[in-house]
Amino acid sequence: MPDPDFDDVRRAARSLRGHAHHTPILTSRTANERTGAELLFKAEHLQRIGAFKFRGAWHAIARLNDDQRRHGVIAYSSGNHAQAVALAAREQHIPATIVMPEDAPPAKMAATRSHEARVITYDRYREDREAIASELAERDGLSLIPPYDHPDIIAGQGTAALELFHEAGELDSLVVCLGGGGLLSGSAIAAEQLSPHCRIIGVEPEAGNDGQQSLSRGEIVTIPAPRTLADGAATTHLGRLTFPIIQRRVAEIVTVSDAALVRTMHFLAERMKQFVEPTGCLAAAAVLEGSIPVAGQRVGILISGGNISPAHYARLLSEA
Ligand SMILES: *Cc1c(COP(=O)(O)O)cnc(C)c1O
């Protein structure tokens, strides 16, 4: 599969027009004073399905040919990617199958079913979801929509940063959360063209720093499934497509602790009135907690998602 380039990101932006939200850029005087920087928060928790994942899913499905569309799509995910594929498929009149662990949060399963997807559950301790998905894909001729390691997914995710640069102009730094690297590599492709001097920084949970290890070793490092509040970034390895893009274009990868994520959720709620899930706070936490020097700079921060149950959110904030 060819590496996605800036033209692919532009093409994705065209295919998303009228279907995805153009999310706002938020600012906070308090956050600027605390860091001595001008911070621009791209609010992808206000994207459809509550996360940037809608961008990649929509674009990947829009690129399928007639035969693939008739047969339908399949994805495996317990989180935001599942909802994104289910909604994007329904709106494009394509049948979707989602493979989810049987103990996935009931709210996420219900949200996925509400988009009329067929949900197939598996036992995550005994069964392999990739094997289940590829078997079904083979049997029923379904197209697999992977969560990050695909050129159309990377190009779609890159449209959030494209909007940010179009609206805000060039930046000194852009800080982006990192799971499998779809969002970070897409953002880096957009930045290279629209703000060539911008320093791109990835942020991972402390418990799952496989990306940081991969950059320093120069090869994809796989770690055991990390335990972290940042469930959307609890991936075990970067992708074969995302890693080389990150290696070429990303200056640095830093990590933040779960405690820093909860403090940042609190800050975003109290000061900016924003409801953000722990994973969605990774980039903001790295900047607000001083893990990245930003004084005197114009800095883009990607807030990636807001899908967490109000009850869980309340528990986390009351313990902070
Ligand atoms: C998927 C996801 C991430 C990680 O994105 P990758 O493209 O896998 O790096 C970060 N935040 C949220 C809210 C997500 O859903």
Side-chain angles (χ1 to χ4, degrees):
M1 276 186 289
D3 262 9
D5 61 18
F6 184 67
D7 281 340
D8 296 313
V9 178
R10 260 207 312 239
R11 188 174 307 129
R14 275 198 302 275
S15 95
L16 282 163
R17 206 169 293 150
H19 301 291
H21 293 319
H22 183 121
T23 54
I25 297 172
L26 310 175
T27 58
S28 157
R29 194 181 47 82
T30 312
N32 288 352
E33 277 172 7
R34 192 203 276 194
T35 54
E38 182 190 350
L39 307 182
L40 303 160
F41 297 86
K42 177 69 170 164
E44 283 295 302
H45 60 302
L46 304 178
Q47 186 49 266
R48 302 190 67 199
I49 71 100
F52 70 90
K53 290 266 186 359
F54 183 76
R55 294 175 182 271
W58 176 278
H59 181 54
I61 291 171
R63 300 261 294 159
L64 298 175
N65 65 33
D66 285 346
D67 188 48
Q68 292 170 316
R69 299 167 80 86
R70 246 192 324 276
H71 284 92
V73 295
I74 184 166
Y76 48 83
S77 161
S78 50
N80 294 333
H81 181 62
Q83 288 181 59
V85 170
L87 179 61
R90 186 184 69 180
E91 292 196 348
Q92 296 181 59
H93 312 291
I94 292 171
T97 301
I98 310 291
V99 181
M100 291 182 118
E102 60 198 5
D103 59 348
K108 293 207 162 153
M109 211 177 273
T112 306
R113 285 207 168 101
S114 78
H115 301 312
E116 292 161 27
R118 168 171 71 145
V119 174
I120 291 184
T121 58
Y122 69 100
D123 176 346
R124 72 160 116 199
Y125 302 102
R126 294 218 306 261
E127 295 177 290
D128 174 11
R129 63 182 190 173
E130 295 185 34
I132 294 171
S134 48
E135 211 175 286
L136 279 169
E138 177 101 12
R139 196 193 69 193
D140 298 342
L142 310 176
S143 298
L144 179 68
I145 309 291
Y148 53 86
D149 210 25
H150 187 286
D152 298 331
I153 297 286
I154 294 169
Q157 317 306 31
T159 60
L162 178 101
E163 286 176 11
L164 174 61
F165 289 118
H166 276 162
E167 208 170 320
E170 297 203 20
L171 300 171
D172 299 305
S173 299
L174 176 65
V175 190
V176 180
C177 54
L178 172 59
L183 185 63
L184 180 59
S185 56
S187 301
I189 292 167
E192 183 174 52
Q193 188 79 24
L194 298 174
S195 187
H197 301 294
C198 180
R199 199 175 147 77
I200 314 294
I201 297 143
V203 185
E204 285 181 310
E206 208 168 71
N209 73 333
D210 60 288
Q212 200 178 42
Q213 292 184 44
S214 301
L215 267 200
S216 69
R217 284 222 227 140
E219 61 184 22
I220 298 173
V221 171
T222 300
I223 59 169
R227 275 178 191 280
T228 167
L229 282 179
D231 56 341
T235 39
T236 58
H237 57 86
L238 298 178
R240 276 200 295 257
L241 278 177
T242 58
F243 174 62
I245 298 170
I246 290 168
Q247 202 176 23
R248 269 200 307 279
R249 300 186 171 108
V250 170
E252 191 187 359
I253 294 175
V254 301
T255 64
V256 300
S257 67
D258 279 4
L261 291 178
V262 176
R263 284 193 296 273
T264 302
M265 287 166 71
H266 192 276
F267 180 91
L268 292 172
E270 183 178 41
R271 298 295 179 154
M272 299 177 67
K273 319 303 163 198
Q274 301 302 312
F275 183 87
V276 181
E277 66 180 277
T279 316
C281 290
L282 280 164
V287 172
L288 294 171
E289 300 260 331
S291 316
I292 302 166
V294 293
Q297 297 185 16
R298 291 188 86 221
V299 182
I301 294 173
L302 240 144
I303 298 183
S304 58
N307 288 326
I308 177 171
S309 78
H312 188 197
Y313 183 86
R315 264 197 313 279
L316 289 175
L317 288 212
S318 67
E319 289 159 8

